[in-house]
């Protein structure tokens, strides 16, 4: 049995190590979160065109109107009008909370085709370095993969390192919705991997969807692989601060608020993704009933109660996960606070048996994935606790089992 608490002497050592690492990072790395893009992106250009657009003799609604008002707007259109908007403004419609999910899928396919054509041209652009042409080829291959007719792309933005979100299952009819929030080194090119498949968002979400189907075949579920925020690259200063997580939290909140229907939502947050979820917690709508973190460096809180969320807070960490050696503290904006698997934090601590390190939590056959799947379908009393007692299931009623408590 692994002890998740640490001695005072070890905490002092970790604090000293943290300060040393921080000063080194400050001296050798840049604050990439502050590097803004100087040119207008394709998505921004599409949004600007939308603001000037009209359909059926009326102005298009303000993009900041909110998902409910935008949903009413789209409902008032004919199918032909909705299709025309998706063709004229694919990036806008494809990323627009409140637009019908199926329309977003179609719009993003159009946006992906346009992005692929642009990257194909770049592969033959003599002005690019060999490295630039190589990246253009990689992006071309990624876009081709995302354009597979079996895939449902809920969000897509080719700017910078790229952002994307994909749905597994029928989001419109789902009785339970799960959202996988990944951590550092997540972008368009790492959205899926052919090696270490389950360390990438697509592999995580697909494995969770299959595990949920196996756990409760009668429950209609949908899982979103959500890489629609700018994540830190590597273990530099961006990963040690909450700047990118704060921006990601706003995007995550917007995603959940725009989801169709009213079915319960569970968040599964890995590594730096748990910082995003921690910062989003207090703003999330009440339909979010679970926030589960794995391999977390902290949630920017000292106790689960400080997250100020009615959702159940779950945590797990594999005994061999290197994240346990990262100092769980926050000082001057650096670090992410208390260890979510510590007894003092107050989360429901789950078994991560079989996970093997920092990136193995979604590998099929592990207790970690099985626990996530049970949470995802609302079978809370079937989860395995880390300390081999019933502590993580304490206080769960039949109402909670249905995901409504």
């Amino acid at each position: 049995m692994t002890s998740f608490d640490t001695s005072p002497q070890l905490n002092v050592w970790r604090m000293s190590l943290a300060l040393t690492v921080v000063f080194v990072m400050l001296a050798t790395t840049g604050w990439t979160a502050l590097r803004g893009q100087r040119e207008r992106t394709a998505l921004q250009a599409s949004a600007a065109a939308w603001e000037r657009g009209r359909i059926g003799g009326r102005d298009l609604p303000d993009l900041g109107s909110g998902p409910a008002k935008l949903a009413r707007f789209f409902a008032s259109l004919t199918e032909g009008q909705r299709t025309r908007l998706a063709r004229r403004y694919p990036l806008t419609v494809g990323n627009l909370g409140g637009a019908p999910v199926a329309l977003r899928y179609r719009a993003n396919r159009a946006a992906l085709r346009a992005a692929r054509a642009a990257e194909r041209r770049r592969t033959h652009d003599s002005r690019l370095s060999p490295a630039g042409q190589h990246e253009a080829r990689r992006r071309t291959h990624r876009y081709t993969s995302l354009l597979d007719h079996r895939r449902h792309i809920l969000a897509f933005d080719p700017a910078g390192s790229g952002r994307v979100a994909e749905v597994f299952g029928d989001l419109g009819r789902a009785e339970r919705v799960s959202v996988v929030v990944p951590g550092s080194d997540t972008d368009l090119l790492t959205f899926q991997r052919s090696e270490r498949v389950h360390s990438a968002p697509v592999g995580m979400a697909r494995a969770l969807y299959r595990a949920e189907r196996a756990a409760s075949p009668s429950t209609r579920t949908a899982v979103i692989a959500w890489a629609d925020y700018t994540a830190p690259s590597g273990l530099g200063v961006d990963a040690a601060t909450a700047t990118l997580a704060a921006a990601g939290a706003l995007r995550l909140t917007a995603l959940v608020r725009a989801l169709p229907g009213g079915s319960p939502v569970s968040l599964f947050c890995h590594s730096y993704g748990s910082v995003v979820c921690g910062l989003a917690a207090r703003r999330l709508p009440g339909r979010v009933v679970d926030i589960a973190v794995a391999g977390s460096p902290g949630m920017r809180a000292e106790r689960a109660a400080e997250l100020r969320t009615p959702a159940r807070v779950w945590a797990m960490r594999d005994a061999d996960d290197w994240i346990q050696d990262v100092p769980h503290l926050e000082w001057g904006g650096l670090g992410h606070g208390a260890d979510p698997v510590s007894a003092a934090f107050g989360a429901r601590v789950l078994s991560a048996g079989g996970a093997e390190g920092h990136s193995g939590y979604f590998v099929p056959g592990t207790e970690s994935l099985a626990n996530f799947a049970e949470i995802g379908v609302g079978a809370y009393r079937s989860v395995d606790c880390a300390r081999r007692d019933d502590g993580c299931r304490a206080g769960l009623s039949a109402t909670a089992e249905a995901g409504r408590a």
Side-chain angles (χ1 to χ4, degrees), residues 358-370:
H358 188 60
S359 301
Y361 295 99
F362 291 84
V363 173
T366 59
E367 291 181 20
S368 52
L369 179 61

Side-chain angles (χ1 to χ4, degrees), residues 38-78:
R38 303 186 179 210
E39 297 182 2
R40 188 164 68 170
T41 68
L43 178 56
Q44 290 168 340
S46 178
W50 170 282
E51 291 172 356
R52 300 187 299 270
R54 292 171 63 83
I55 191 82
R58 54 178 168 152
D59 293 337
L60 300 181
D62 190 300
L63 293 175
S65 300
K69 183 175 181 179
L70 289 167
R72 289 193 296 270
F73 164 75
F74 280 101
S76 72
L77 302 177
T78 66

Side-chain angles (χ1 to χ4, degrees), residues 269-351:
C269 320
H270 177 244
S271 194
Y272 189 82
S274 66
V275 186
V276 175
C277 291
L279 292 175
R282 68 189 63 188
R283 303 185 186 92
L284 293 168
R287 67 186 293 191
V288 176
V289 294
D290 301 289
I291 301 175
V293 303
S296 175
M299 300 180 73
R300 304 296 291 191
E302 292 305 307
R303 295 180 300 278
E306 293 180 6
L307 297 174
R308 296 191 349 212
T309 174
R312 288 170 288 276
V313 180
W314 310 81
M316 66 170 68
R317 186 176 67 222
D318 179 65
D320 295 324
D321 190 337
W322 58 262
I323 204 76
Q324 65 188 311
D325 295 320
V326 172
H328 284 90
L329 51 86
E330 191 277 326
W331 179 78
L334 297 165
H336 302 301
D339 186 349
V341 299
S342 68
F345 189 79
R348 299 174 182 272
V349 184
L350 298 160
S351 170

Side-chain angles (χ1 to χ4, degrees), residues 60-332:
L60 300 181
D62 190 300
L63 293 175
S65 300
K69 183 175 181 179
L70 289 167
R72 289 193 296 270
F73 164 75
F74 280 101
S76 72
L77 302 177
T78 66
E79 181 60 27
Q81 288 173 326
R82 287 191 287 268
T83 298
R84 284 199 295 276
L85 288 179
R87 288 175 177 170
R88 289 179 192 169
Y89 316 103
L91 278 171
T92 296
V93 175
N95 290 280
L96 191 57
V101 169
L103 187 66
R104 290 180 66 172
Y105 295 160
R106 295 205 305 270
N108 281 320
R109 287 186 64 80
L112 280 162
R113 285 194 292 267
R116 182 175 64 177
E119 289 302 326
R120 280 177 171 166
R121 290 192 294 270
R122 282 167 50 81
T123 62
H124 304 293
D125 190 338
S126 60
R127 294 170 297 177
L128 291 179
S129 67
Q133 292 177 337
H134 176 68
E135 181 171 342
R137 285 191 292 273
R138 292 182 65 199
R139 282 187 169 240
T140 300
H141 293 154
R142 172 63 71 242
Y143 296 148
T144 298
S145 175
L146 292 173
L147 279 165
D148 186 296
H149 71 277
R150 295 166 294 184
R151 303 186 73 166
H152 300 125
I153 306 305
L154 185 66
F156 168 64
D157 182 359
S161 58
R163 295 196 292 250
V164 62
E166 181 174 6
V167 176
F168 297 87
D170 188 337
L171 186 58
R173 298 179 62 249
E175 297 170 316
R176 304 276 309 197
V177 177
S178 298
V179 182
V180 175
V181 183
S184 298
D185 294 319
T186 297
D187 56 30
L188 184 72
L189 293 178
T190 60
F191 186 55
Q192 63 189 81
R193 293 189 174 103
S194 55
E195 298 180 0
R196 296 191 304 119
V197 171
H198 301 103
S199 66
V202 168
M204 293 177 179
R206 182 181 283 123
L208 180 58
Y209 178 66
R210 290 172 176 169
E212 289 180 352
R213 294 289 302 276
S216 181
S218 63
T219 302
R220 295 194 303 271
T221 63
V223 179
I224 301 173
W226 188 76
D228 194 26
Y229 82 105
T230 301
S233 178
L235 297 177
V237 174
D238 286 335
T241 63
T243 302
L244 294 180
L250 294 177
R251 298 183 68 84
L252 178 60
T253 302
L255 165 82
V256 176
R257 291 191 180 280
L259 290 175
S263 53
V265 176
S266 299
L267 305 182
F268 298 93
C269 320
H270 177 244
S271 194
Y272 189 82
S274 66
V275 186
V276 175
C277 291
L279 292 175
R282 68 189 63 188
R283 303 185 186 92
L284 293 168
R287 67 186 293 191
V288 176
V289 294
D290 301 289
I291 301 175
V293 303
S296 175
M299 300 180 73
R300 304 296 291 191
E302 292 305 307
R303 295 180 300 278
E306 293 180 6
L307 297 174
R308 296 191 349 212
T309 174
R312 288 170 288 276
V313 180
W314 310 81
M316 66 170 68
R317 186 176 67 222
D318 179 65
D320 295 324
D321 190 337
W322 58 262
I323 204 76
Q324 65 188 311
D325 295 320
V326 172
H328 284 90
L329 51 86
E330 191 277 326
W331 179 78

